[in-house]
Amino acid sequence: MSSNANHSHHSGDAHGHDHHGGHEASHGTFKSYMTGFILSVILTTIPFWLVMGKVISDPAVTGAIVMILGAIQIVVHMIYFLHMNTRSEGGWNMMALIFTIVIVIIALSGSLWVMHHLNANMMPMSPEMMRNMP
């Protein structure tokens, strides 16, 4: 009798994880995971095609499109895989989203700044110098 009394509050779950402590965040369905996966594949394939196929002649426009699609992909991952929305976790997910946006803006703008200055400050090589490189 005492062994049944000890396990009655778990009702079939050996670890007692049948409740989530009042959190209203969902864990997603197969359909939502597949939607997120398909969107992620599309948002990865388009930039790859744009760069490898040289679809747009202006590299700055191509870079801007790739960065926009990358930012969209971050949002897709946050919604479909991390299940972040304004209602879950008492609003802390919105703070995490704002923090993520700030970090992404800093990382992207810093990367562009570094790449621009590397490109502007590198010594240009002539074709003869390129042929003589090891």
Side-chain angles (χ1 to χ4, degrees):
M1 182 168 137
S2 63
S3 65
N4 288 340
N6 289 339
H7 295 291
S8 64
H9 66 281
H10 293 301
S11 66
D13 188 8
H15 299 287
H17 292 148
D18 52 351
H19 299 291
H20 290 89
H23 299 300
E24 57 271 3
S26 67
H27 289 286
T29 62
F30 179 76
K31 180 181 177 184
S32 70
Y33 281 118
M34 287 308 295
T35 303
F37 175 72
I38 290 169
L39 286 172
S40 296
V41 168
I42 291 169
L43 290 169
T44 301
T45 305
I46 291 173
F48 185 79
W49 169 71
L50 287 174
V51 171
M52 295 304 291
K54 297 183 182 185
V55 177
I56 300 172
S57 60
D58 187 9
V61 174
T62 302
I65 292 172
V66 167
M67 288 179 39
I68 290 168
L69 290 172
I72 293 170
Q73 189 169 38
I74 289 171
V75 173
V76 165
H77 282 260
M78 290 174 71
I79 292 171
Y80 287 99
F81 300 123
L82 298 177
H83 312 294
M84 295 179 77
N85 59 36
T86 57
R87 298 178 313 272
S88 63
E89 301 292 332
W92 281 105
N93 279 343
M94 184 54 67
M95 292 298 291
L97 175 63
I98 292 169
F99 178 74
T100 301
I101 290 170
V102 169
I103 294 299
V104 166
I105 289 171
I106 291 170
L108 291 177
S109 61
S111 297
L112 288 175
W113 180 73
V114 167
M115 288 187 285
H116 171 73
H117 283 282
L118 281 175
N119 186 40
N121 295 324
M122 294 292 289
M123 181 174 23
M125 290 187 137
S126 66
E128 294 83 29
M129 292 173 74
M130 290 294 289
R131 275 188 243 122
N132 293 333
M133 292 208 49

